[in-house]
Amino acid sequence: GAVEHWICNALCDARASVRSGKDMTDQEIVDRLIRREGGWIDHKDDHGGSTKFGITKRTLSEWRGYDVSRAQVQALTIDEAREIYLRQYVEPFAAVTDGPLKELLVDTAVHSGPGKAKRLLQEALGVEVDGVIGPDTLAALAHVDFVRVYRDVLRAIIKFVGRVITQYGSQHVFA
């Protein structure tokens, strides 16, 4: 609706003020993400449960290969969080050379899963939506208007988050 359009345009305009993404490093993307996510959080309505630096108990358990405790999530170091973000959320988007778009996809992957972020990218690129960054997705990325793709992905994220908030009212505090 009109509100989604306004939000998307405001955020897309904000994208223009971000410095050229070609020199934004993966580490900068991760550091910005960690600043946004904050430290230890154990909110009763968070479907991810207890988190630290945005890393959920489930993600940390999968990373370590065993079921971690709440205390182990709370003890997560920033260095381990950075490594998790780089390996699980940044590396899948290595082919995205535009920093702001890559950052948007990584943030989406953290909140909604890497598969969802890949599918949103593929929808915006107009290629088969299979959640796999393969030859067709890579070819489309080589000849793309990154600003247009950024706007299309952002619009899709706004709509998705709106549906989640509508379906699960308690989630509005995380939007």
Side-chain angles (χ1 to χ4, degrees):
V3 173
E4 288 173 350
H5 180 74
W6 180 85
I7 292 170
C8 185
N9 283 339
L11 292 172
C12 290
D13 289 343
R15 182 209 189 279
S17 69
V18 175
R19 67 189 172 129
S20 171
K22 295 200 185 305
D23 61 353
M24 185 184 294
T25 68
D26 291 349
Q27 193 59 58
E28 286 174 310
I29 290 171
V30 169
D31 288 345
R32 288 165 54 99
L33 178 62
I34 288 172
R35 274 195 302 275
R36 283 191 303 275
E37 289 294 333
W40 166 252
I41 299 170
D42 195 15
H43 194 285
K44 67 180 177 63
D45 291 327
D46 190 343
H47 291 174
S50 58
T51 66
K52 187 164 182 190
F53 309 121
I55 303 294
T56 65
K57 180 182 184 298
R58 178 179 172 190
T59 298
L60 187 59
S61 294
E62 289 172 0
W63 174 258
R64 291 186 179 173
Y66 60 89
D67 189 32
V68 299
S69 67
R70 185 174 174 270
Q72 287 170 310
V73 174
Q74 195 169 11
L76 174 68
T77 67
I78 197 163
D79 289 336
E80 187 175 15
R82 281 188 180 111
E83 187 68 17
I84 292 168
Y85 279 131
L86 285 169
R87 299 294 163 250
Q88 291 190 225
Y89 299 99
V90 176
E91 283 182 5
F93 300 100
V96 178
T97 58
D98 180 74
L101 177 59
K102 187 182 220 178
E103 184 174 30
L104 180 64
L105 292 167
V106 168
D107 193 66
T108 302
V110 169
H111 294 277
S112 303
K116 178 70 172 179
K118 290 175 190 176
R119 290 188 299 276
L120 291 175
L121 173 63
Q122 289 171 324
E123 287 175 17
L125 291 171
V127 299
E128 180 184 354
V129 178
D130 61 6
V132 177
I133 298 186
D136 292 344
T137 305
L138 294 172
L141 279 169
H143 308 284
V144 71
D145 173 359
F146 284 113
V147 173
R148 181 196 59 77
V149 172
Y150 182 97
R151 284 184 175 151
D152 290 350
V153 170
L154 184 58
R155 278 188 187 99
I157 292 166
I158 290 168
K159 287 179 183 177
F160 173 73
V161 170
R163 285 191 303 270
V164 168
I165 291 169
T166 300
Q167 187 173 0
Y168 306 100
S170 66
Q171 298 305 291
H172 77 279
V173 299
F174 305 109

